[in-house]
Amino acid sequence: MPKDMLDLESREEPLAPTSRFIGRLILSVAAASLVVALSLAAGVWGYCHFEGLSVVDGFLNAAMILSGMGPVAQMSTHAGKIFAGIYALYSGLMLVATTGMILAPVVHRFLHKFHIDTD
């Protein structure tokens, strides 16, 4: 039996109790939320620093880019345009990564429950 909440059971072990699964899911959502919060903070700082936007406008732009919606303000400086491009690429990767972080316990439980060999 796994000793820790993060230790996943192997194929030979029984399915983890629902409480352990919920705990894993909560940890995954918390980790993904932390990544999103740090990414949002970095975006706000970048828009404020490179474009001189207010914190509220920087938040709006960072949130829109991070969620995949697109920028709101027109970038006027070369540094701001480069930052916005790099941040947009980063945000696309973070969208995929955080989705994977949240879905990992669900997919593991599904595969374990139905004994699907991942090899």
Side-chain angles (χ1 to χ4, degrees):
M1 199 68 179
K3 303 173 283 191
D4 187 7
M5 185 72 71
L6 297 176
D7 287 339
L8 299 176
E9 60 276 4
S10 69
R11 183 178 172 160
E12 293 79 29
E13 295 176 311
L15 192 64
T18 304
S19 61
R20 182 169 298 198
F21 168 69
I22 297 297
R24 287 178 185 158
L25 198 55
I26 289 170
L27 285 174
S28 295
V29 169
S33 297
L34 179 62
V35 169
V36 168
L38 292 174
S39 299
L40 187 59
V44 171
W45 176 85
Y47 283 114
C48 292
H49 178 74
F50 293 113
E51 280 296 316
L53 297 178
S54 70
V55 173
V56 173
D57 288 336
F59 171 78
L60 177 61
N61 272 284
M64 294 296 281
I65 289 285
L66 196 57
S67 66
M69 300 295 285
V72 176
Q74 184 71 29
M75 301 296 107
S76 59
T77 66
H78 290 296
K81 291 175 184 179
I82 291 170
F83 170 77
I86 292 170
Y87 188 69
L89 292 171
Y90 167 81
S91 296
L93 293 174
M94 283 304 96
L95 182 64
V96 172
T98 55
T99 301
M101 290 170 73
I102 292 170
L103 290 179
V106 176
V107 171
H108 176 266
R109 189 163 181 91
F110 173 80
L111 292 174
H112 190 79
K113 184 172 183 163
F114 293 103
H115 300 288
I116 297 173
D117 196 350
T118 57
D119 291 335

